[in-house]
Amino acid sequence: MLLRVENLTIRFGAGQEPVVRDISFQVGEAETLGIVGESGSGKSVSCFSLLKLLPKSAEVSGKVSYKDKSGKEVDLLTLNNTQLQQYRGKEIGFVFQEPMSSLNPAYTCGDQVAEGIRKHKKCSRKEAQAKTISLFEEVLLPDPSRVWKAYPHELSGGQRQRVMIAMALASDPRLLIADEPTTALDVTVQKVVVELIKKLSEQRNMGVIFISHDLNLVGSMADRILVMKSGEIVEMGMTKDIFEKPQHSYTQNLLQCRPSRNWHLPRLPVPGLVAKPVLPQENTGNPILLKAENLSKSYISGSGWWGKNAETKAVVAVSFDIEKGKTLGIVGESGSGKSTISRLVLGLTPITSGKVYFGNDEISGLNRKQFRPYRRQMQMIFQDPYSSLNPKHSIGSILTEPMDIFGIGNKKERLDKAEYLLKKTGLPAEYLHRYPHQLSGGQRQRVCIARALMTDPAFIICDESVAALDVSVQAQVLNLLKDLQDELGLTYLFITHDLAVARFMSHQLLVMQKGKAEEYGKAADIFSNPSSAYTKKLLDSVV
């Protein structure tokens, strides 16, 4: 056995309740153990504790037996920081969740990977460069010589994540710990990263601990699965058994509340509620609320050949319409033009050509003053609920601000409406006095939804608004959006890279690739019988 963890308990501060309670598990060579659970379940904390990567306030007890490259077995928890240096990176590699914040923006990707090689292998810079480029080839990075010279911001999210994998593999570790390595990646990139880690595990006879809140994703690559809840292991077993015969109700809920691209559910199951799959009901004949005709956006830069201006076409002649009370889903990979379309529709970015209509009025080309009456009717829910809420303002102040901007009501009326919408989105009235950092991710996203409703809009753009949420919280937020749509007659433009989420939310679907519309029509028809090769590729990438 490569790694054996026995009775691991973690608390932050003497007398505090444990955040991880008496857990035990093991990992063998060339074996992948998947650890799943929601935020706060103790997944990442448990793995960080193996090499003492937690804050000094952490108190860790138990035993962590690791068999190193020489065959010697050592208890990692008994080692000091100096002794652990020969295990961190050299024996056990880490792939972190967000490569942009894990990579140093001031150094090239090549230098960052080569640094670890030179430290552990004691080789020359030239040898480290050759090894780095070889690693870039192994993790399937295009043009490894270019990546060697590139800075993190010059690479895509998937490419940065592969650089992180190369860095973790630089010293030929026997164990790789991957902490949410595919969160917010496109489905095609996600599939590539998962398959890459699985392939490298087999080729290198390397053990893998793969941490995720997505049970389906872990199920596509893990040999065994460990399910955590509130710092404890609630279920552990072979992947097939966990999926076919889950024993614990929490595991069953995690499996049920994930949207499916094959079935349309009126509402997603959440703990205590089971929803049955139904065939989609498509109602037509509603008036068109929003319409785009040949919408195009180009950016001009001076970085072309011989200093000439270069044109980048972000959106190319895209047309669609959305019926009142319905949802148009826009899917596609990063850089496909999804978010650019949202900015064009809201008048936040000038349109190069084409037209946008809101009801019977053309709104394209209006200046800020002319657009103001429509801005009240068109709101947006952003991807990251924390960065889109001002940390210095209370929830009450955040919610009443839109009404204040548009001169709606007096102070009491604004507070009354904020309280009403807070309750409508499932939060108690006392949260008006709290601040964003005092709320969970799901609660913050509910505040963002309530804020979008403060001006009584008819149209809301949801831009990757559930991408970073746990599956059960995601299910609650998606159900909430559907309930509000039914009750208030809201119209949504729903942008996502998650096809299963798009299937659940959308009546119509627009598939984007490199700024162009690959496919457009009824969501049910596209999911059951896609006509575009690109759409088929996206669907095949769903794990």
Side-chain angles (χ1 to χ4, degrees):
M1 192 57 59
L2 180 60
L3 179 79
R4 181 180 288 106
V5 176
E6 301 175 72
N7 308 117
L8 182 68
T9 298
I10 305 169
R11 54 169 48 89
F12 290 96
Q16 296 295 316
E17 281 294 312
V19 295
V20 173
R21 298 180 185 85
D22 199 33
I23 69 169
S24 300
F25 61 89
Q26 57 190 29
V27 185
E29 295 179 355
E31 180 187 34
T32 297
L33 173 69
I35 302 182
V36 298
E38 298 176 282
S39 298
S41 62
K43 308 184 301 295
S44 299
V45 169
S46 298
C47 291
F48 287 167
S49 72
L50 304 183
L51 289 174
K52 296 186 177 179
L53 297 176
L54 297 177
K56 291 181 179 180
S57 60
E59 296 181 0
V60 183
S61 62
K63 186 176 182 180
V64 178
S65 301
Y66 173 75
K67 185 181 290 185
D68 63 22
K69 293 177 181 178
S70 67
K72 177 185 175 183
E73 191 169 290
V74 60
D75 182 357
L76 297 177
L77 295 185
T78 64
L79 305 181
N80 59 38
N81 277 327
T82 302
Q83 293 169 323
L84 280 171
Q85 289 302 322
Q86 63 179 307
Y87 293 97
R88 292 173 180 158
K90 187 176 181 180
E91 292 268 356
I92 302 176
F94 269 88
V95 180
F96 297 98
Q97 177 174 350
E98 177 44 63
M100 196 59 191
S101 59
S102 302
L103 294 171
N104 192 322
Y107 292 90
T108 65
C109 294
D111 280 338
Q112 294 185 63
V113 176
E115 180 185 15
I117 296 173
R118 296 187 70 183
K119 180 177 180 180
H120 293 296
K121 299 284 188 180
K122 306 298 181 184
C123 60
S124 67
R125 176 176 171 80
K126 187 175 181 180
E127 290 171 329
Q129 179 177 351
K131 171 72 172 175
T132 299
I133 291 177
S134 175
L135 283 168
F136 286 165
E137 291 173 348
E138 189 174 5
V139 298
L140 307 178
L141 275 165
D143 196 356
S145 297
R146 181 188 71 85
V147 177
W148 164 265
K149 302 174 184 176
Y151 289 88
H153 73 273
E154 296 178 302
L155 302 179
S156 69
Q159 290 172 339
R160 287 194 294 265
Q161 195 60 281
R162 277 177 264 188
V163 169
M164 284 294 299
I165 295 173
M167 186 182 295
L169 298 174
S171 298
D172 303 312
R174 302 192 70 221
L175 176 66
L176 181 71
I177 300 175
D179 184 22
E180 299 273 13
T182 61
T183 299
L185 292 181
D186 299 322
V187 287
T188 51
V189 179
Q190 184 182 81
K191 184 178 182 181
V192 169
V193 170
V194 167
E195 290 178 346
L196 174 61
I197 293 175
K198 190 173 183 179
K199 176 183 174 183
L200 291 169
S201 171
E202 295 170 354
Q203 290 178 343
R204 290 169 167 252
N205 204 36
M206 178 177 66
V208 175
I209 297 177
F210 191 94
I211 304 169
S212 178
H213 63 261
D214 190 332
L215 195 50
N216 288 342
L217 179 66
V218 171
S220 69
M221 67 172 299
D223 300 297
R224 291 184 300 114
I225 292 178
L226 182 159
V227 184
M228 291 191 69
K229 180 179 186 292
S230 303
E232 298 179 340
I233 296 175
V234 298
E235 190 163 358
M236 182 164 52
M238 301 302 293
T239 299
K240 183 179 179 182
D241 295 336
I242 293 291
F243 273 81
E244 293 181 358
K245 299 176 182 178
Q247 300 300 306
H248 198 277
S249 59
Y250 179 71
T251 310
Q252 295 166 1
N253 286 329
L254 285 181
L255 286 167
Q256 290 172 348
C257 65
R258 181 81 175 94
S260 169
R261 68 180 179 89
N262 298 317
W263 283 101
H264 179 80
L265 299 173
R267 294 296 181 270
L268 290 169
V270 294
L273 173 67
V274 177
K276 295 181 179 180
V278 297
L279 292 174
Q281 301 294 319
E282 298 287 352
N283 298 320
T284 58
N286 291 357
I288 301 298
L289 181 67
L290 189 104
K291 183 175 184 177
E293 292 182 349
N294 297 314
L295 200 60
S296 296
K297 177 62 183 178
S298 296
Y299 295 95
I300 307 296
S301 68
S303 58
W305 287 100
W306 308 107
K308 293 182 179 179
N309 289 337
E311 182 181 25
T312 301
K313 296 181 178 181
V315 176
V316 182
V318 174
S319 299
F320 59 84
D321 52 53
I322 314 176
E323 293 182 6
K324 182 175 171 31
K326 300 297 180 182
T327 300
L328 170 68
I330 302 183
V331 299
E333 299 173 283
S334 297
S336 62
K338 305 188 301 293
S339 295
T340 300
I341 287 176
S342 70
R343 292 195 295 270
L344 296 175
V345 166
L346 288 177
L348 300 176
T349 300
I351 295 171
T352 301
S353 63
K355 296 180 180 180
V356 177
Y357 295 89
F358 188 76
N360 296 320
D361 301 334
E362 182 184 349
I363 60 174
S364 45
L366 299 180
N367 60 37
R368 293 184 67 177
K369 184 177 181 181
Q370 293 169 327
F371 202 95
R372 185 177 172 84
Y374 301 99
R375 182 63 54 77
R376 175 178 171 175
Q377 290 291 307
M378 305 167 75
Q379 294 294 318
M380 193 165 189
I381 303 169
F382 297 95
Q383 177 174 352
D384 184 352
Y386 192 78
S387 62
S388 59
L389 297 176
N390 193 323
K392 295 182 179 180
H393 290 186
S394 68
I395 301 303
S397 176
I398 288 170
L399 291 180
T400 56
E401 184 181 27
M403 292 183 70
D404 185 34
I405 290 173
F406 287 101
I408 305 171
N410 56 38
K411 185 176 181 180
K412 183 180 183 303
E413 290 170 335
R414 294 168 190 167
L415 284 171
D416 287 346
K417 186 159 189 179
E419 181 177 335
Y420 167 75
L421 286 174
L422 210 57
K423 291 179 180 177
K424 177 71 70 177
T425 55
L427 295 176
E430 54 263 30
Y431 275 37
L432 288 172
H433 307 291
R434 295 193 180 185
Y435 288 80
H437 73 274
Q438 297 175 302
L439 276 59
S440 70
Q443 290 170 336
R444 288 194 292 264
Q445 196 61 289
R446 288 170 184 265
V447 170
C448 290
I449 294 171
R451 179 176 61 180
L453 296 172
M454 288 295 292
T455 61
D456 297 321
F459 175 72
I460 295 178
I461 294 178
C462 305
D463 189 5
E464 298 280 10
S465 53
V466 296
L469 300 179
D470 294 324
V471 285
S472 64
V473 178
Q474 181 187 83
Q476 294 169 26
V477 171
L478 292 175
N479 285 343
L480 173 61
L481 289 171
K482 281 238 180 181
D483 290 340
L484 292 170
Q485 184 174 52
D486 292 344
E487 183 178 343
L488 304 176
L490 297 171
T491 304
Y492 294 139
L493 177 64
F494 198 92
I495 299 170
T496 182
H497 66 264
D498 190 324
L499 293 171
V501 169
R503 177 69 189 94
F504 173 72
M505 287 297 299
S506 307
H507 301 91
Q508 300 282 111
L509 193 70
L510 173 64
V511 182
M512 295 288 296
Q513 184 190 24
K514 297 179 180 178
K516 297 180 180 180
E518 276 289 329
E519 198 159 353
Y520 171 58
K522 286 185 177 181
D525 294 342
I526 291 176
F527 276 94
S528 61
N529 188 28
S531 60
S532 163
Y534 177 72
T535 307
K536 292 176 183 177
K537 176 188 172 186
L538 286 180
L539 291 172
D540 289 342
S541 299
V542 178
V543 294

